[in-house]
Structures are given as C-alpha cells and as structure tokens.
Amino acid sequence: MVHVLQIIIILFSIFALSRLILRRRDRAVPLGELIFWSIIWLGAIAIALFPELVASVANKTGFSSAIDLVIIVTVLVLFYLQFRLYVKVEQQQQDITRLVRQIALQRKKKK
Amino acid sequence: MDIAIVIAAYNEQGSVGKVVKNLHKHNYQHIIVVDDGSKDKTSEEATEAGAIVLRHIINRGQGAALQTGISYALKQGANIIITFDADGQHKAKDIPKFIKPIEKGEADVCLGSRFLKNTNNAPFMRRVILKGGALSLRIFYGLKLTDSHNGFRALSRKAANKIKIKSDGMEHASEIIEQIADNKLKYKEIPNTITYSDETLAKGQGNSNAINIMTKMILGKLKR
C-alpha cells in the first residue's frame, strides 16, 4: 500500500530537483552544490520509495523506529547547513564592510 | 600627524561637534571622525567643528567605523592612535594619561577602565554586566582586566598595525582584547572618568546586548 505521505515526499522532491536544475541552468548553482542537493532530494525519494530500507538500518543502529532515524539525521543536516550559512553570511558582512571602508578612504583621498 | 584621535559616530548630531571642539581646545589637532552612515547631520557638524571626516555610505557598526579611522590614521603616519566616544562620555583631560605609557614604551595599548578607581557613576545593572564581561574575557583570552567594554583606548603604531578589527558591531571590544593577547602586546589599564547621563545610556548599548556579544565570542572561538 502506498501512503499519501510517500507521494507528497516524492512530488515535493521532484519539484525541488526541478528548481535545482533550473537554477543550475542560470549558472547560479556551482557543481558541488548541485551534487550535494541532488543527493539530498534523491535520498528523500529513495526513502519514500523504500521505507523498509530505513527501517532495517534503524533496527541495526538501535533506533526505536525509522521515523526517529530520519528525523535525527535531518535535524543534524539542517544544523550543519545553518552553520555553513552563518559562516557565509559573516564572510559577506566582512566583505561589505571592507568595501564601505575602501570607499570612505578613497573619497577622502580625492578631496 | 603624531597623535590621532579616532571617533566613530552614528547619528551623533548635537554631541559630536561639541566633542570635537573640546578636543581642539585641549590642543589635539588630528581628530578623525568616521561617520558610520548617519541619517542626521553628523558629518556636517563634525566637519564644521574642524574634524577630518570619513563617511561610511551605509551603517556598518562601531567596530567597522573604528577600523576605518585607524586605517586612515596609520596611512597619515600617526604614531599614537586614541579611540574616543562621540557622545561626550569621555573626558579629553584623561588623554595624556593614555599617551604617556606608550611614549615611554611601557605599553603598546592602553585601555580605559572605569573600575580601577571609583571614577564613575555606572548604574548597578551596567556594573554587573561589565564585570561579567571582564570575567569572561579572562576566561576566554587570559587577560586580567577590570573593565571589558570601554571605548577609550590608546594604541601605539605597532599595535594599531597588528590589531585588525573584523567584528563590525560592539563585539569589537572583546576582539581587540583577544588580539592583544594573540599578538602578546603590552597593555595597561588606565582609570578614566565616564559620565553617564540619560542620553548616553539611551544611546549606548542596551544591557541586553551583552548576551549577543557573549554568543559571538563563543562562535568566534569555535570558528577558529
């Protein structure tokens, strides 16, 4: 029996993959990112199609249920992505500051 | 330019002019005001008062503005750089106390402290937070200081070249101290008078910003 949730996950993953490919065509996504996100979404589809796979992994690794395993792994990945984003934003903040500083110094020189 | 005074100013119309004029009165010639993208007439007022004004086209925070001023002062050949607040909290008559240890070679950096002597009227909560800040600096960077976030400092040319403020916001104060430790610069705390008025308390950092600064200190440690 196919669960509604499985269909939703698969449809959403396909949607996300299509966006990913479109952004790639605009050259907005570097190759590394393309591979990373493809793995995430293809993984989601695989889990939706073969939930018993996750269940057996969960059993062997001592998780009480497949859902537990999926949620914990997801949260970890999200935290990691969040951290990566934080570093990137911080880097950009510093770049903006350097730019603003350079403009301030150069305008002073001209006068 | 021997002694340069760097003032970071964000929306300080009404006080920055007075501060600059007062410094002139005490015979300090090179006053660099960095207008950090103010929406009021900070730039005009500082220029009129006789300061050298650099302007950030958008607001980047006090740390960013100080670094801009310090970079400019170094380019102009300053030997001693003083950082000073724009809101009238600091007293120009305290400056010689900050300069002397550097001229004598006793210190590379002089840091203002409002707690060395009883030279302030800081409200109780402010006192607790600043003391907590000083304690965490000791735990994090191993420097013994009595005051954590005092904007009054003097840097030798050597120190100013080594210290690079990367934190845009208020965490620059802890960052400077971290870099003093990393570069093994000689430092000295100098008692300075800080005048708290309703105006300076309203304009300065709120007490709640302390948590924000603490978080950034911990993240900064993790990143390295």
Side-chain angles (χ1 to χ4, degrees), chain B residues 108-141:
Chain B
D108 302 309
V109 184
C110 288
L111 301 163
S113 172
R114 65 205 102 178
F115 299 116
L116 268 185
K117 283 180 194 164
N118 205 9
T119 48
N120 74 96
N121 59 342
F124 177 72
M125 248 339 261
R126 187 55 62 110
R127 214 175 259 265
V128 170
I129 286 173
L130 289 165
K131 280 290 179 188
L135 183 68
S136 51
L137 287 179
R138 188 163 175 185
I139 295 167
F140 270 85
Y141 310 130

Side-chain angles (χ1 to χ4, degrees), chain A residues 19-49:
Chain A
R19 296 286 105 181
L20 183 64
I21 291 162
L22 281 178
R23 300 298 291 147
R24 172 69 187 168
R25 278 208 196 140
D26 298 342
R27 296 173 204 285
V29 183
L31 186 64
E33 296 287 300
L34 178 76
I35 293 167
F36 176 80
W37 289 106
S38 299
I39 290 170
I40 296 272
W41 296 118
L42 291 173
I45 293 173
I47 289 168
L49 286 177

